[in-house]
Amino acid sequence: MGIKSYCFKKSLWLYHFAGASCNNCDIEVLDCLTPRYDVERFGMLLIGSVRHADVLLVAGSINKKCKSRLLEVYHQAPKPLVVVAIGACGITGGVFAEGNTFAGPVDKIIPVDVYIPGCPPKPEAILAGIVNFLNKS
Amino acid sequence: MKQKTIIPVGPYHPLQEEPELFKLFCDGEIVTDIEWETGYNHRGIEKINESKTFEQVFFVVERICGICSTSHPFAFANAMEEIAQVKVPDRAKYIRTIIAELERIHSHLLWVGLAGHFIGYNTVFMWAWKYREPILDLFEIITGNRNSYAMFKIGGVRRDIDEKDYSKILKILDGVKPKAEMLMKAVIDDPVIHMRTKGIGILTKQDILDYCAVGPTARASGVDVDIRRDDPYAAYPLVNWKVIVTQEGDVFAKAVVRFLEIFESISIIEQCVEKLRKDPPGQIDVKVKNIPEGNGAGRAEAPRGEVFHYVITDGSNSPVRHKIRAPSYVNVATFKKSCVGQTISDATLALAAVDPCYCCTERMAHVYDSRTRQRVLDGRGLIQLSQQRTQTLKKNLFGKNT
């Protein structure tokens, strides 16, 4: 068992970073917590500080102003850390990739482990993405 | 000189939605001034739109905000139809109205949940979001997606509502109505919620007029303004409904306005479905060959207030200039009035009360002593402070810790 799979064996704590997003992915992440999807039954919990997090969920495109903040959040997080890029904007920039403030997709700024496509991805897709990653590692 | 502390709220916060930085200037526990900084979410949408064709612009404006993802295309369609002088078929009008009102229901329920969370009533949060799910299912049935619906085009809508879906819509709305009533009674009859929300974050009628606030924020302060009635568009003149106005202007009044609007929206949708049922399936769009040179303004009533789009065209297939004004932009300015003079725990609720497109309390916020630079309180502490206050009120009220 590698260090990574050992660290992610038990309850995962999630930290949600909304870049320059349109809220859709953010709402769907929050939706995972509510009774229908109830992510807490897997021990997953959305927490307030990235310093306690195992998973960094990044939603939305990254603009010039929030790029440095994303780096800061990434460096504050304990490693190993799973970075999940959620939605078309997180993966490629989506419709905002042509914008004059666009500062690159998430994987150009920090290493990304899981990509969850969709605009926005459904809560089931977000759960499935993280579970698939855990089963592989 | 008096000591003052600055509480930075944001820009990144764990719960949800867009980044936004607020600085609360505090004297003791009382907020004396507030400043805010935006730009973390700037995506250059107006500029992007200038390089898109009119058909493509709909998909970009839909992604301005995920919660109001009907209002922006609606306002843009209104602006373009003004330029092209297009008359939209009645069936398309009804379908547009149904989508817009469904969005209002889900958005208001979302707000009720978040407001419940801020005052430490997580049950309300879970309930409201649970009863919001059937509405999202309905969106999936009608449009194929839970959030971005892609229903609008110049001159009509992209897809028709299937005849066998009418009964599904009515059935799901029938299910939502008693739940919303139950939620409303639970919130409105609760004495602790009364104490936490009544008289908090009051905006007077004059404040609303001074800051040009719109939507439920204005209607809760007795300003009778609603674009759906004042500048009729789509099927709103064809159905019976009323504008909800309350006079108090505090957080409680805003909650009441939003709850009652949910029932109005349900009634509007039911009337629209009845009208669709009576008419045989017909035209849902008109072909628009080319857009002439000109300019047009489109307005729509989003769940949070008036959305305004202004478009200049030059006869080509993309806009020369596209100006967008979202309701939160004007509503956020009212924080100067609603938060100043409140305690910190109440200010967080007053910030949330206008339903800005970001929720303002739970994040990486730190309270520093301005002289020693020592950290006093962080974001979680801030929310705990608010929740503790509810607990204390409860204890005083019922004599025990419930």
Side-chain angles (χ1 to χ4, degrees):
Chain A
M1 185 185 277
I3 177 91
K4 220 168 177 177
S5 47
Y6 176 75
C7 289
F8 299 140
K9 207 168 62 174
K10 292 190 176 158
S11 308
L12 289 181
W13 282 11
L14 318 170
Y15 177 79
H16 171 224
F17 178 97
S21 74
C22 75
N23 272 355
N24 262 344
C25 300
D26 313 322
I27 299 169
E28 296 295 49
V29 167
L30 203 55
D31 236 13
C32 295
L33 289 174
T34 53
R36 184 178 285 186
Y37 302 100
D38 196 15
V39 78
E40 280 187 33
R41 70 202 143 118
F42 304 119
M44 292 182 192
L45 191 65
L46 207 61
I47 48 149
S49 171
V50 75
R51 288 168 203 269
H52 307 148
D54 302 300
V55 181
L56 172 61
L57 307 169
V58 186
S61 69
I62 305 298
N63 71 10
K64 284 170 188 161
K65 195 165 180 175
C66 68
K67 184 182 172 186
S68 60
R69 272 81 173 182
L70 175 62
L71 277 170
E72 200 175 313
V73 164
Y74 181 73
H75 290 313
Q76 282 177 358
K79 312 290 180 309
L81 175 78
V82 187
V83 180
V84 184
I86 296 178
C89 299
I91 296 171
T92 64
V95 287
F96 306 120
E98 301 163 24
N100 49 0
T101 58
F102 183 65
V106 178
D107 59 2
K108 290 266 167 64
I109 299 164
I110 56 172
V112 174
D113 301 293
V114 184
Y115 297 87
I116 301 175
C119 187
K122 297 176 85 172
E124 293 98 322
I126 297 174
L127 289 182
I130 296 171
V131 169
N132 275 347
F133 174 79
L134 293 178
N135 287 342
K136 267 190 184 166
S137 69
Chain B
M1 200 187 128
K2 258 192 165 177
Q3 260 193 52
K4 273 188 185 173
T5 40
I6 301 175
I7 306 180
V9 180
Y12 288 101
H13 37 86
L15 190 59
Q16 68 143 14
E17 307 197 59
E18 295 132 312
E20 174 90 11
L21 176 62
F22 285 103
K23 285 180 190 162
L24 303 176
F25 294 86
C26 299
D27 185 6
E29 215 200 345
I30 305 296
V31 178
T32 53
D33 200 3
I34 180 169
E35 270 181 15
W36 57 91
E37 187 187 330
T38 53
Y40 298 96
N41 210 334
H42 185 70
R43 285 160 286 169
I45 288 170
E46 291 179 6
K47 194 73 191 162
I48 291 174
N49 284 350
E50 288 169 17
S51 66
K52 301 279 182 203
T53 67
F54 292 118
E55 290 298 309
Q56 290 171 326
V57 168
F58 279 102
F59 299 100
V60 182
V61 292
E62 198 166 68
R63 282 157 181 80
I64 289 172
C65 171
I67 311 175
C68 327
S69 61
T70 304
S71 320
H72 286 283
F74 214 147
F76 180 67
N78 286 343
M80 292 314 294
E81 280 150 15
E82 188 185 317
I83 295 172
Q85 299 292 328
V86 182
K87 206 171 170 302
V88 181
D90 274 354
R91 195 174 173 80
K93 282 183 183 172
Y94 288 122
I95 294 173
R96 283 179 173 191
T97 310
I98 288 173
I99 299 293
E101 291 307 311
L102 280 175
E103 183 189 76
R104 200 177 313 279
I105 299 173
H106 105 72
S107 175
H108 284 346
L109 281 175
L110 186 145
W111 177 83
V112 169
L114 290 177
H117 174 71
F118 292 148
I119 59 172
Y121 269 46
N122 269 327
T123 319
V124 173
F125 171 49
M126 290 296 172
W127 268 353
W129 281 62
K130 185 181 171 189
Y131 302 139
R132 185 178 152 267
E133 286 293 331
I135 304 289
L136 296 183
D137 288 346
L138 208 46
F139 275 128
E140 216 170 343
I141 291 170
I142 299 173
T143 70
N145 203 357
R146 281 161 57 92
N147 289 74
S148 297
Y149 319 116
M151 281 297 271
F152 283 71
K153 64 193 266 188
I154 301 171
V157 289
R158 278 179 191 279
R159 31 188 111 71
D160 206 350
I161 297 180
D162 204 72
E163 268 177 84
K164 61 178 185 288
D165 288 341
Y166 296 155
S167 53
K168 280 184 198 162
I169 297 174
L170 295 176
K171 198 178 152 200
I172 288 179
L173 285 179
D174 275 346
V176 168
K177 213 190 269 177
K179 307 283 191 215
E181 262 163 24
M182 185 270 282
L183 200 56
M184 184 166 105
K185 276 187 194 139
V187 170
I188 285 182
D189 296 342
D190 190 302
V192 181
I193 291 183
H194 273 221
M195 292 170 88
R196 271 319 299 281
T197 55
K198 276 199 169 168
I200 303 298
I202 294 181
L203 289 166
T204 61
K205 204 168 178 177
Q206 193 55 43
D207 294 337
I208 298 293
L209 298 176
D210 288 346
Y211 284 92
C212 305
V214 289
T217 312
R219 291 198 283 277
S221 299
V223 179
D224 192 0
V225 55
D226 194 318
I227 298 303
R228 292 174 289 173
R229 181 203 56 200
D230 301 339
D231 182 11
Y233 59 96
Y236 291 111
L238 308 173
V239 292
N240 290 322
W241 60 284
K242 59 178 189 291
V243 179
I244 309 288
V245 181
T246 56
Q247 302 298 329
E248 294 83 8
D250 52 8
V251 179
F252 187 76
K254 293 187 180 86
V256 171
V257 166
R258 292 202 171 91
F259 267 122
L260 295 176
E261 279 189 6
I262 292 177
F263 299 114
E264 282 302 311
S265 295
I266 291 177
S267 141
I268 293 175
I269 297 167
E270 283 170 349
Q271 291 175 50
C272 288
V273 172
E274 280 313 311
K275 294 256 166 77
L276 284 183
R277 204 175 237 166
K278 272 183 203 149
D279 295 345
Q283 221 188 352
I284 54 163
D285 60 342
V286 284
K287 288 272 176 297
V288 180
K289 287 252 170 56
N290 54 358
I291 305 288
E293 193 180 337
N295 59 58
R299 305 203 280 179
E301 183 78 13
R304 287 162 187 75
E306 174 195 348
V307 170
F308 177 81
H309 279 230
Y310 177 70
V311 188
I312 302 178
T313 57
D314 62 350
S316 67
N317 66 346
S318 56
V320 177
R321 176 79 175 98
H322 186 188
K323 168 86 185 93
I324 301 162
R325 200 202 64 179
S328 289
Y329 189 76
V330 279
N331 285 348
V332 163
T334 61
F335 292 165
K336 277 261 188 212
K337 285 282 177 205
S338 62
C339 293
V340 173
Q342 310 283 333
T343 62
I344 300 171
S345 55
D346 287 338
T348 51
L349 190 61
L351 288 173
V354 309
D355 196 4
C357 271
Y358 33 75
C359 59
C360 311
T361 38
E362 195 173 6
R363 68 223 57 209
M364 300 194 300
H366 303 287
V367 182
Y368 287 99
D369 189 309
S370 63
R371 209 171 42 173
T372 58
R373 307 301 298 165
Q374 288 267 308
R375 195 203 290 183
V376 190
L377 202 66
D378 63 0
R380 197 175 296 170
L382 210 63
I383 266 220
Q384 265 169 10
L385 202 72
S386 176
Q387 296 182 345
Q388 267 166 14
R389 174 136 189 224
T390 310
Q391 287 292 330
T392 336
L393 284 175
K394 243 186 199 172
K395 223 185 265 177
N396 293 341
L397 209 66
F398 302 119
K400 62 179 194 296
N401 196 356
T402 43

